[in-house]
Amino acid sequence: MALPDASCVLYFDDEAAPAQRLAQAAGLTAQAIERHRFPDGELKLRLPVDASGRLPQRAVLLRSLHQPNEKLVELLLAARTARQLGAQHLTLVAPYLAYMRQDIAFHPGEAVSQQVVGGFLAGLFDAVITVDPHLHRIERLEQAMPVTQAVVLSGAEPLADLIAQRRPGALLVGPDGESAQWIAQAAARHSFDHAVCTKVRHGDRNVAIELPALNAQGRAVVLLDDMASTGRTLALATRLLLQAGAASVDVAVTHALFAGDALQVLTEAGVGEVWSTDCIPHPSNAVAMAGPLAAALHRVLAA
Ligand code: R5P
């Protein structure tokens, strides 16, 4: 897949492997941004310029935004510098987009991080490509991130393909109302029986879940969600489904955040297998997203 100009995929050294996969799928070259950390913690970046000290007119930056805080500073430094070095069109490929869950001030004075971080990234990039951003109270990414081109892909269908192979005839369950959108996409693709739980969150590691009306007796259940963070949501849903007679419960998520003891908590709850997309590198990765990301990149760069 050749592109009209000499666009390149810029990346940081900790994402060399996904950058190479994306560049190969898109027919682009991948070039590393050098990063130096000063003794006091500040960063210095050096972008890969050509012999005349310039970047291509169109540049792509790959940065999946798990553990996002320092990466946001990297993006600020890299994007502003790329403009100075000749890049006129900048695309951010962020397979995981951080801060999308904090989309409302639940208490007076709280930051609505979705809007703040979305606005910040829109000020740096012309286009953003991401996968399953957590859009709950808004419908389109542009409402949080007003870029010229916003492309949202989903892991639900490729995960559904995997589930159909590994657990044909599975009962697909979403652990909360927000997962209904991904459950609907996955169920439509393979005609899975499906249902969605209701959840109330009381704290970071404290949720209450109610199962929907379903007959889980003897069924192979797969819990599908956009992400697992502490794993408490999926762990509680698993316990309830096993108590309701499920023969097995496996887990499929787009974003494998799995903070702290999340995987251990899932295992202790009785989860069998855990599958994820490679939007966030993790041992559970079972679905590659380089192909869909590269196709989206072509659409963005051709526009
Ligand atoms: C929120 O609704 C998300 O879709 C996930 O359900 C949530 O982030 C999972 O969090 P945790 O794994 O910490 O329970």
Side-chain angles (χ1 to χ4, degrees), residues 65 72 98-100 112-122 144-145:
L65 291 173
L72 294 177
Y99 285 110
M100 291 295 111
V112 182
S113 309
Q114 184 188 71
Q115 293 290 327
V116 175
V117 173
F120 170 73
L121 293 174
M145 192 175 295

Side-chain angles (χ1 to χ4, degrees), residues 175-176 198-210 230-237 240:
D176 54 28
T198 49
K199 177 175 87 177
V200 178
R201 182 172 287 282
H202 298 296
D204 289 345
R205 293 177 175 75
N206 183 7
V207 294
I209 290 179
E210 245 182 66
T230 67
R232 267 52 178 189
T233 297
L234 293 170
L236 179 55
L240 295 174

Side-chain angles (χ1 to χ4, degrees), residues 9-278:
V9 176
L10 304 172
Y11 66 92
F12 290 88
D13 57 358
D14 57 306
E15 289 188 297
Q20 295 293 349
R21 291 197 294 271
L22 175 64
Q24 190 175 14
L28 300 174
T29 58
Q31 295 185 295
I33 296 174
E34 285 177 30
R35 178 178 40 187
H36 173 74
R37 183 184 301 281
F38 291 104
D40 53 25
E42 291 182 11
L43 296 171
K44 179 178 71 176
L45 305 184
R46 185 177 178 199
L47 275 61
V49 289
D50 65 15
S52 60
R54 306 291 286 170
L55 281 178
Q57 285 190 357
R58 288 174 170 252
V60 178
L61 183 48
L62 173 73
R63 207 67 180 126
S64 203
L65 291 173
H66 49 294
Q67 300 293 325
N69 296 346
E70 188 165 287
K71 291 177 181 174
L72 294 177
V73 176
E74 291 170 355
L75 292 183
L76 172 66
L77 296 171
R80 292 267 187 257
T81 307
R83 300 278 186 202
Q84 288 167 0
L85 296 172
Q88 291 171 12
H89 185 277
L90 277 179
T91 301
L92 171 66
V93 178
Y96 174 66
L97 201 50
Y99 285 110
M100 291 295 111
R101 283 166 292 177
Q102 297 163 41
D103 59 356
I104 193 172
F106 290 96
H107 303 98
E110 276 181 4
V112 182
S113 309
Q114 184 188 71
Q115 293 290 327
V116 175
V117 173
F120 170 73
L121 293 174
L124 298 178
F125 294 94
D126 303 288
V128 172
I129 300 170
T130 190
V131 184
D132 289 334
H134 193 87
L135 306 183
H136 174 41
R137 272 168 269 263
I138 57 173
E139 285 178 5
R140 290 176 301 105
L141 181 59
E142 295 93 314
Q143 293 168 264
M145 192 175 295
V147 282
T148 312
Q149 295 160 285
V151 181
V152 172
L153 306 176
S154 180
E157 292 194 348
L159 285 170
D161 294 346
L162 182 84
I163 294 165
Q165 284 169 14
R166 305 276 178 97
R167 298 288 182 270
L171 169 61
L172 214 54
V173 176
D176 54 28
E178 285 137 276
S179 64
Q181 54 186 301
W182 299 291
I183 292 289
Q185 286 176 50
R189 191 163 172 93
H190 288 286
S191 305
F192 291 117
D193 292 341
H194 58 283
V196 172
C197 305
T198 49
K199 177 175 87 177
V200 178
R201 182 172 287 282
H202 298 296
D204 289 345
R205 293 177 175 75
N206 183 7
V207 294
I209 290 179
E210 245 182 66
L211 290 186
L214 53 73
N215 183 1
Q217 193 65 42
R219 299 293 301 267
V221 176
V222 178
L223 282 164
L224 175 70
D225 205 357
D226 60 333
M227 69 181 77
S229 177
T230 67
R232 267 52 178 189
T233 297
L234 293 170
L236 179 55
T238 298
R239 287 187 199 283
L240 295 174
L241 286 159
L242 291 172
Q243 283 164 16
S248 63
V249 179
D250 301 296
V251 158
V253 291
T254 301
H255 299 301
L257 288 165
F258 293 123
D261 62 357
L263 277 182
Q264 188 190 332
V265 166
L266 292 184
T267 304
E268 287 170 4
V271 168
E273 295 200 41
V274 178
W275 304 302
S276 63
T277 75
D278 62 0

